[in-house]
Amino acid sequence: MNYEQIRFEVSERIARVTLNRPDRLNSFTTQMHGELRDALSRVAADGDARVLLLTGEGRAFCAGQDLSDRAVAPGAAPVDLGASIEENYRPLVLALRDLALPVVCAVNGVAAGAGANIALACDVVIATRSASFIQAFCKIGLVPDSGGTFFLPRLVGAARAMGLAMLGDKLSAEQAAAWGLIWKCVDDGEFVATTDALLAQLADAPTAGLAAIKRALYASNDNTLEQQLDVERDAQRTLGYSADYREGVAAFLDKRAPRFSGR
Ligand code: T3D
């Protein structure tokens, strides 16, 4: 597939996806969703990448759904938004969560509507200090989608989730980090270098172990302590037979840096 609304490249075990409609603040179209789905399925199938980066081109990360696609002439039938969620946003969130490698979202600017929640669907979210997060849905009579009603209360608690969702205020990257909505906020001048260092660290990491960490932490949302202890036991059993565990222990005992294969 030729990509027109995203950029996609894999090099040095890092897959980079850049939303690329900067004049529309990288808002989502059906075409962009199709391209994203294709790129994510390639990452899952190829096995070349050991970390995925999702970021945006220009001054925004993503302004959510392209609303110019939603304007209807008086008397014309409205768009079925449920179908749009089912075909586009739901599969995107689940694809990011299901990828068996870490997904880093580098929020390079404003993240609004579904753009904010797609960022939160990623495993590690780093934002530049001038970025912001806006649950813009309430301004147009909608509910936070793309997992927003799931992620927000779990990340920042019910009171802050309700305020963000009902008021649609702009939350600065710094405040988002202070509230625990994201992993880190870094100064604009350090954003690219910090993101690159994070990607390099994750690309060299024991990928199967990180995939198991991701599965276990997300599973904990619905589990009792006993169920979660079972998840940890089963993961540890599997990982205990892995090449990377063996390498990690050997490297520790040899007092050298490990060379993980990802398996
Ligand atoms: O529909 C479905 O399928 C259901 C799913 C819905 C999911 C959703 O995401 S609903 C929420 C949609 N998003 C929004 O409501 C956010 C709309 N955008 C904004 O509120 C603001 O643009 C921002 C706060 C993000 C940024 O503000 P600012 O002042 O920095 O930029 P701007 O001037 O508003 O935007 C720059 C341009 O991008 C502008 O176009 P122009 O005037 O230069 O020709 C603006 O219209 C355009 N733009 C920004 N966001 C969108 C957009 N065009 C289409 N759709 C957008 N979402």
Side-chain angles (χ1 to χ4, degrees):
M1 177 184 247
N2 279 336
Y3 299 131
E4 294 174 340
Q5 301 194 351
I6 66 167
R7 288 201 310 274
F8 175 62
E9 59 175 11
V10 182
S11 82
E12 297 181 344
R13 303 182 303 285
I14 302 170
R16 295 171 188 266
V17 174
T18 306
L19 307 179
N20 193 22
R21 301 179 70 228
D23 53 326
R24 298 285 95 187
L25 304 191
N26 301 320
S27 53
F28 286 112
T29 62
T30 303
Q31 180 178 343
M32 184 189 274
H33 274 292
E35 293 179 11
L36 265 174
R37 269 197 300 280
D38 188 78
L40 295 184
S41 64
R42 278 171 63 183
V43 171
D46 291 351
D48 297 336
R50 287 171 52 188
V51 59
L52 169 71
L53 169 72
L54 180 63
T55 192
E57 178 62 36
R59 73 178 177 90
F61 169 64
C62 174
Q65 170 64 38
D66 185 327
L67 294 176
S68 58
D69 269 8
R70 296 293 178 254
V72 286
V79 177
D80 175 359
L81 301 190
S84 163
I85 299 293
E86 191 64 28
E87 286 158 24
N88 292 323
Y89 291 97
R90 188 176 196 279
L92 174 54
V93 171
L94 295 179
L96 293 167
R97 288 279 162 143
D98 288 348
L99 268 186
L101 41 76
V103 178
V104 173
C105 185
V107 181
N108 54 298
V110 64
N117 294 334
I118 293 301
L120 300 183
C122 298
D123 304 319
V124 178
V125 186
I126 181 170
T128 196
R129 194 167 297 279
S130 56
S132 55
F133 296 80
I134 308 174
Q135 295 294 324
F137 309 88
C138 58
K139 309 273 189 193
I140 54 171
L142 296 182
V143 62
D145 61 24
S146 306
T149 59
F150 182 90
F151 302 137
L152 288 171
R154 284 168 172 76
L155 291 169
V156 298
R160 284 169 172 165
M162 199 64 86
L164 289 170
M166 284 201 164
L167 302 173
D169 287 352
K170 181 188 284 195
L171 186 73
S172 69
E174 191 171 356
Q175 193 68 68
W179 281 6
L181 189 71
I182 63 170
W183 164 241
K184 196 181 262 190
C185 160
V186 296
D187 288 339
D188 292 8
E190 294 167 14
F191 180 61
V192 171
T194 308
T195 301
D196 284 346
L198 179 62
L199 293 170
Q201 180 180 342
L202 291 169
D204 284 345
T207 313
L210 298 193
I213 289 172
K214 172 172 173 169
R215 276 195 304 276
L217 285 176
Y218 292 143
S220 76
N221 284 322
D222 306 314
N223 280 349
T224 63
L225 173 61
E226 286 176 343
Q227 289 169 323
Q228 199 59 23
L229 289 169
D230 290 349
V231 168
E232 293 172 2
R233 176 202 59 215
D234 293 346
Q236 225 65 313
R237 175 171 289 140
T238 304
L239 293 168
Y241 294 113
S242 70
D244 279 348
Y245 171 64
R246 191 171 291 203
E247 165 63 8
V249 173
F252 175 78
L253 296 176
D254 294 349
K255 301 189 186 306
R256 61 171 173 80
R259 290 179 297 272
F260 292 119
S261 64
R263 293 184 301 275

